[in-house]
Amino acid sequence: MPTFRAIFKKFLSLQKNFAISSVTSFTTLVNPSRPLTGIAETARICSGPSVTCVPVISNHLKNQRDDVGRNHFKEMPSPDVYLSTKKISSHVENFRLDEALQLFDEMPVKDMVTWNVMIKGCVNCGNLEMGLKLFDEMPEKNVISWTTMINGLLKYGMIEEAKGYFWEMPARDTAAWNAMVHGLFANGRVEEAIRLFEVMPNKNVISWTTMVSGLDQHGRSYEALSIFRKMVGAGVKPTSSTFSCAITSCANVGNLCLGSQVHGHVLKLGYVFDTYVTASLITFYANCKQTEECVKAFDEKLHQNVVVWTALLTGYGANAKHGDALRVFGDMFRLKIVPNQSSFTSALNSSREIEAVDWGKVIHGAAIKLGLEIDPFVGNSLVVLYTKCGNIRDGVLAFKEISDKNIVSWNSIIVGCAQHGCGEWALAFFTQMAKAGVNPDEITFTGLLTSCSHSGMLQKGKHFFECLRRYAAIEVKLEHYACMVDILCRGGKLDEAEDLVEKMPMEVNLSIWLALLSGCRAHSNLDVAERAAKNIFLIDPHCSAAYVLLSNIYAFAGRYTDVARIRRDMKRIGTLKQPGRSWVIQRGVKHSFVSCDKSHPSSEKIYKKLDWLGKRLKEHGYVSDQRFALHDVEDEQKEAILSYHSERLAICFALISSVEGSTITVMKNLRTCGDCHSAIKLIAKIVGREIVLRDSSRFHHFRDGFCSCGDYW
């Protein structure tokens, strides 16, 4: 009959070669000839020294088979302290705090490790009060007990209590000092963290790394780099975490020289293949506009970690190389690297920047498959993508999918509705936001005021502006005044708008005066326009937008002598008018047009379609409004100039190159003229398709002869 020691020795040697994952395996090993009778048989075998069952149950717990391990544990007549502690640890890791406490209370003997595990479990499971109670009841405490409690207090923002426990400690090791410094940084007590670090008796590499990271995270990257230099000067060898933090600091200050030096140290010490060091290097070079170096850092090895891929994806996006960013995102799927929330957010942002809504929809589909469409960061990016690319309906649907809406979520949908002139929707979302208990910020009010402006809601706009002025939590800023001036101007209250500008409690900037000047154009008020233009030229004598607006106001009034004078002034000072440009994105390709443009490969078909539309427009009673030609030429020339505006060319291209019945989306860099606005309403009716036009002011949705703006823009 083999001895217990021989059996256990054999067990340990075999365990190295294969995992013993069930009681059956263990009983066979003890006595191969014995029938296998499951848990009861194991309990009989284990009725001797309980250490024999430790590897089996520990193996279940290690492999997270907690229920199986629990069944074996219940059959044991007297589990020892070690096994009970392992079981408590398993319970709290699975957030079964009540079961852990019950087992803890039933233990006849508890050692210091058991107490520490239970206290830490209470803290991690959110029951700080119970953790404090157990700490007070603990018969004997060591430095780990004190540090665990201090970490718990700092985690819940109880800074003063944590400081009290820290200074009450009989003995403080370096880990306790590090925990306190880290906790102070985490709670925004930067100066206190610095002072504590300075009096720390024994600093290790974790102490220095905590300082570098903490300072950088609070926008004090230069100080973080200074600490890093002191650390190296003191002969402390940095770890991969230290290098990662130092490189991130270099990225935040854009110090290419120092960052390159740190990169050199990384190479010498062999940390270049560390995942987080590589990710930090990619971000650093991206921030310094060195995308080739980003690629070199990435190409050091074949990476399988999503963090490194996301760093490269984000780096390309930060340097406006959005096509490359989307290529990287596609490569991640081809190499079976599952993107995370940050990956999706960066990819969606790149899609938005190049207005590639088709790419965005593909990414959206991938997010749905991974269940990430409900994530706030991914969901917010989807809302912004759709609303900025002309699809407000999908933007609303994406917003509704977000599980835990934050202030960014609400602001994104409110601002999106404002851009599309859906004022009532924006106000409805604001009401839901208030009911959800989310406090508005300055962006919320900008969105609300813009909604009122684009929807012609003068009284509601006044109401929100007055609420904002009385709401002490938010400072009224220039953009809020600009929105209010625009609301008053669009409502025909030019004198009231001018009075608001003159009584502003802050210095009036260019955007305020331009808002007033733009309002004068809509109502042909030359007196206010000339006063606004005079103030603009005092701020910026070369403001091309002001010259163009004033020139258009004169032209609209038939004062072509003044138009010629304005244009002579522009030529004299070297100010150029920005040419109107419209474009359509199809299959990821941007097709751009200017007025009377014939450079596109499909120009012949475009102009043929345009001539066909011209005939159909006249059949529907369309007569061009030649006031918008803004040139002192013959009527036939004015009509031709209006017919070949860039947005009409873009629409005709979309008509001949897109699927019949699909929505047409056109972007324009300037405000669309009134004549084109009238024509496009009829074009949408003639072709039976929705046409979405985004100009410099807002989105217009044309359907069946009507526009979503209600002719108010």
Side-chain angles (χ1 to χ4, degrees):
M1 184 72 180
T3 64
F4 169 78
R5 185 180 297 275
I7 294 173
F8 192 66
K9 187 175 181 180
K10 184 179 179 182
F11 168 77
L12 292 177
S13 65
L14 290 176
Q15 194 179 34
K16 295 178 182 177
N17 300 321
F18 59 91
I20 299 175
S21 58
S22 68
V23 174
T24 302
S25 303
F26 182 65
T27 54
T28 304
L29 179 63
V30 174
N31 189 343
S33 63
R34 184 184 299 275
L36 305 180
T37 55
I39 294 172
E41 176 65 13
T42 305
R44 196 184 69 76
I45 295 170
C46 292
S47 61
S50 64
V51 70
T52 310
C53 293
V54 170
V56 177
I57 298 176
S58 295
N59 187 44
H60 288 307
L61 298 178
K62 179 180 177 181
N63 291 285
Q64 297 188 353
R65 293 190 295 271
D66 192 58
D67 292 335
V68 179
R70 189 189 318 172
N71 290 334
H72 293 311
F73 187 84
K74 286 178 180 178
E75 297 292 337
M76 294 183 64
S78 56
D80 65 3
V81 175
Y82 171 78
L83 196 56
S84 297
T85 303
K86 289 282 289 184
K87 188 61 184 170
I88 289 172
S89 179
S90 175
H91 281 322
V92 295
E93 284 175 7
N94 290 282
F95 295 95
R96 292 171 171 167
L97 182 60
D98 290 340
E99 293 180 46
L101 287 169
Q102 181 181 349
L103 178 56
F104 179 79
D105 290 338
E106 291 171 355
M107 288 178 65
V109 178
K110 308 176 184 73
D111 62 12
M112 195 174 295
V113 175
T114 310
W115 283 92
N116 289 339
V117 167
M118 193 66 254
I119 292 170
K120 185 178 180 180
C122 290
V123 170
N124 291 343
C125 291
N127 195 336
L128 181 63
E129 185 179 355
M130 178 58 72
L132 287 167
K133 180 177 180 295
L134 292 176
F135 180 79
D136 291 338
E137 294 174 358
M138 193 173 182
E140 185 180 352
K141 305 175 181 69
N142 62 7
V143 68
I144 296 174
S145 317
W146 287 92
T147 305
T148 301
M149 206 63 255
I150 290 167
N151 277 326
L153 292 165
L154 291 168
K155 179 181 178 180
Y156 292 97
M158 301 173 68
I159 313 299
E160 298 306 320
E161 291 83 353
K163 286 162 65 176
Y165 274 73
F166 178 75
W167 294 116
E168 191 181 333
M169 288 179 69
R172 291 176 286 275
D173 63 1
T174 305
W177 286 87
N178 290 342
M180 197 67 206
V181 171
H182 178 269
L184 290 170
F185 273 124
N187 286 279
R189 303 281 192 96
V190 180
E191 296 301 329
E192 290 183 57
I194 294 171
R195 287 195 296 270
L196 192 63
F197 175 79
E198 289 171 349
V199 299
M200 188 185 298
N202 298 304
K203 303 178 180 71
N204 61 12
V205 66
I206 298 174
S207 316
W208 291 95
T209 303
T210 301
M211 282 298 295
V212 175
S213 174
L215 288 167
D216 181 64
Q217 288 173 5
H218 285 86
R220 297 168 70 162
S221 301
Y222 286 104
E223 293 174 65
L225 291 172
S226 177
I227 291 290
F228 179 71
R229 289 191 189 95
K230 288 180 182 178
M231 172 187 172
V232 175
V236 180
K237 183 181 177 181
T239 64
S240 59
S241 297
T242 317
F243 277 122
S244 180
C245 295
I247 294 166
T248 301
S249 297
C250 292
N252 289 335
V253 301
N255 192 328
L256 180 60
C257 180
L258 180 59
S260 299
Q261 292 175 22
V262 176
H263 190 179
H265 284 293
V266 168
L267 289 168
K268 288 178 183 178
L269 295 175
Y271 289 124
V272 71
F273 298 126
D274 180 86
T275 296
Y276 293 98
V277 170
T278 302
S280 299
L281 282 169
I282 293 171
T283 302
F284 159 67
Y285 284 119
N287 283 13
C288 294
K289 311 300 179 186
Q290 304 288 319
T291 51
E292 291 182 2
E293 296 299 324
C294 289
V295 177
K296 286 181 183 178
F298 180 81
D299 287 342
E300 288 287 350
K301 61 172 279 193
L302 179 62
H303 296 282
Q304 294 294 319
N305 192 292
V306 66
V307 174
V308 179
W309 282 84
T310 302
L312 183 62
L313 165 60
T314 306
Y316 274 133
N319 285 276
K321 295 191 174 184
H322 302 294
D324 289 329
L326 294 173
R327 176 183 55 77
V328 169
F329 187 77
D331 288 344
M332 291 175 71
F333 277 96
R334 280 188 284 276
L335 293 172
K336 297 186 177 5
I337 296 166
V338 181
N340 59 17
Q341 292 92 329
S342 297
S343 315
F344 276 102
T345 299
S346 295
L348 289 167
N349 290 344
S350 286
S351 300
R352 181 194 72 217
E353 289 299 323
I354 60 175
E355 296 162 349
V357 71
D358 291 339
W359 247 109
K361 287 181 177 179
V362 172
I363 297 168
H364 188 179
I368 291 173
K369 287 181 180 179
L370 293 173
L372 291 176
E373 80 281 6
I374 64 174
D375 177 80
F377 294 101
V378 177
N380 294 345
S381 296
L382 283 168
V383 172
V384 176
L385 166 74
Y386 286 126
T387 56
K388 289 205 170 183
C389 290
N391 196 333
I392 184 63
R393 296 184 193 88
D394 283 348
V396 171
L397 291 175
F399 172 79
K400 290 181 178 179
E401 290 296 320
I402 300 173
S403 59
D404 188 15
K405 300 176 180 65
N406 54 27
I407 183 64
V408 178
S409 312
W410 292 103
N411 284 346
S412 297
I413 195 63
I414 289 171
V415 171
C417 290
Q419 292 171 338
H420 287 263
C422 303
E424 295 296 340
W425 289 12
L427 298 187
F429 281 120
F430 178 67
T431 302
Q432 292 177 27
M433 175 182 172
K435 289 180 179 178
V438 179
N439 292 323
D441 61 10
E442 59 192 55
I443 298 174
T444 314
F445 277 99
T446 301
L448 291 170
L449 292 170
T450 303
S451 297
C452 294
S453 172
H454 288 173
S455 300
M457 297 186 292
L458 176 62
Q459 296 305 319
K460 288 182 179 177
K462 286 183 175 182
H463 168 74
F464 280 120
F465 189 71
E466 287 304 314
C467 287
L468 175 60
R469 289 210 279 199
R470 292 196 300 267
Y471 190 37
I474 301 175
E475 179 185 357
V476 185
K477 297 194 173 179
L478 286 167
E479 53 264 32
H480 299 126
Y481 276 99
C483 289
M484 193 62 223
V485 169
D486 194 51
I487 289 171
L488 292 169
C489 288
R490 291 173 189 271
K493 308 291 184 181
L494 291 177
D495 293 335
E496 193 174 337
E498 188 177 21
D499 184 59
L500 177 65
V501 172
E502 290 173 351
K503 292 180 179 178
M504 280 176 57
M506 60 194 77
E507 185 176 353
V508 183
N509 69 355
L510 204 62
S511 64
I512 304 289
W513 289 115
L514 281 171
L516 183 59
L517 180 59
S518 181
C520 294
R521 174 185 174 177
H523 298 282
S524 302
N525 191 318
L526 281 170
D527 292 335
V528 177
E530 288 173 338
R531 288 195 294 272
K534 182 180 178 181
N535 283 287
I536 291 171
F537 296 140
L538 288 174
I539 299 171
D540 181 7
H542 298 273
C543 181
S544 61
Y547 281 109
V548 172
L549 277 170
L550 189 58
S551 173
N552 290 347
I553 292 170
Y554 282 136
F556 202 76
R559 291 174 54 172
Y560 292 103
T561 303
D562 289 313
V563 172
R565 175 177 57 81
I566 292 292
R567 291 183 176 176
R568 284 196 303 272
D569 290 342
M570 291 177 69
K571 188 175 181 179
R572 176 174 52 81
I573 64 176
T575 299
L576 298 175
K577 176 185 180 295
Q578 183 182 8
R581 184 176 296 274
S582 300
W583 62 92
V584 175
I585 306 290
Q586 284 196 352
R587 300 176 187 89
V589 179
K590 184 177 182 179
H591 300 268
S592 187
F593 303 88
V594 295
S595 182
C596 303
D597 193 351
K598 292 189 177 180
S599 63
H600 195 277
S602 303
S603 284
E604 186 177 342
K605 294 180 180 179
I606 291 170
Y607 277 87
K608 186 177 179 180
K609 191 71 172 179
L610 195 58
D611 291 340
W612 176 83
L613 276 177
K615 294 175 184 177
R616 296 299 307 275
L617 283 169
K618 288 182 179 179
E619 290 174 6
H620 281 74
Y622 165 75
V623 178
S624 63
D625 190 342
Q626 296 175 5
R627 295 176 302 168
F628 290 98
L630 306 178
H631 293 280
D632 188 14
V633 294
E634 297 298 325
D635 288 351
E636 290 88 357
Q637 289 178 275
K638 289 183 177 181
E639 186 173 349
I641 290 169
L642 292 169
S643 298
Y644 301 143
H645 273 186
S646 63
E647 53 264 59
R648 300 201 199 187
L649 296 175
I651 289 170
C652 286
F653 168 74
L655 286 171
I656 65 173
S657 60
S658 60
V659 177
E660 187 70 28
S662 62
T663 299
I664 294 171
T665 302
V666 176
M667 308 293 183
K668 185 173 182 178
N669 63 334
L670 304 177
R671 182 182 182 272
T672 190
C673 76
D675 183 67
C676 285
H677 189 269
S678 299
I680 296 171
K681 286 194 294 184
L682 287 173
I683 291 171
K685 184 177 182 180
I686 290 167
V687 300
R689 295 169 73 171
E690 179 181 359
I691 300 174
V692 179
L693 172 65
R694 189 201 72 190
D695 63 9
S696 61
S697 173
R698 56 170 293 156
F699 279 94
H700 302 263
H701 293 256
F702 298 94
R703 299 186 203 92
D704 300 323
F706 297 94
C707 178
S708 60
C709 73
D711 298 334
Y712 193 97
W713 87 104

